[in-house]
Amino acid sequence: QVQLAESGGGSVQAGESLRLSCAASGSSFSIRGMGWYRQAPGKQRELVAYITSVDTTDYADSVKGRFTISIDNAQNTVYLQMNSLKPEDTAVYYCEVDLVVETTPYTYWGQGTQVTVSS
């Protein structure tokens, strides 16, 4: 069993920054990639950013140039640095991890952390 611990959400003003973190722990596993998704009220969950264990990254167009995803493979932790936040970034942010236990792939989700940006 794998647990994800998210932290770093909160309420900020437009233009400010937040840093989210998500640490994976549990039984022996190998991480293939970790990502952040978000879901605003009345909208579908969408990819924000994703990073593989070899540092390949992917970003939603709406956050390119403002958000940076990074991974600490030794700590099984993914970070999302969010700068120049906008009210439209307001959502619940979910951590997601793709990993392998022995030869079986799994996907786990965090419980979500609220990010609120006011104008």
Side-chain angles (χ1 to χ4, degrees):
Q1 189 70 11
V2 175
Q3 294 80 40
L4 298 181
E6 300 170 343
S7 62
S11 297
V12 296
Q13 298 287 320
E16 294 183 341
S17 300
L18 282 173
R19 188 191 194 207
L20 306 182
S21 65
C22 174
S25 63
S27 54
S28 179
F29 54 81
S30 176
I31 290 178
R32 296 296 176 86
M34 299 182 80
W36 290 95
Y37 292 71
R38 66 187 181 188
Q39 188 167 18
K43 294 187 177 181
Q44 289 189 327
R45 190 174 297 188
E46 62 175 359
L47 172 70
V48 177
Y50 190 88
I51 186 167
T52 69
S53 59
V54 293
D55 286 341
T56 302
T57 58
D58 187 26
Y59 293 92
D61 288 341
S62 59
V63 306
K64 285 180 180 177
R66 299 189 297 122
F67 291 11
T68 302
I69 191 169
S70 59
I71 191 169
D72 183 336
N73 288 306
Q75 299 295 324
N76 294 325
T77 300
V78 64
Y79 303 95
L80 185 68
Q81 179 65 43
M82 304 185 294
N83 298 329
S84 302
L85 282 161
K86 303 175 180 180
E88 51 263 44
D89 294 318
T90 295
V92 178
Y93 283 69
Y94 296 91
C95 172
E96 182 255 3
V97 61
D98 297 306
L99 52 81
V100 175
V101 178
E102 295 185 350
T103 60
T104 304
Y106 295 90
T107 296
Y108 289 90
W109 290 88
Q111 79 283 0
T113 185
Q114 178 70 46
V115 172
T116 302
V117 185
S118 55
S119 58

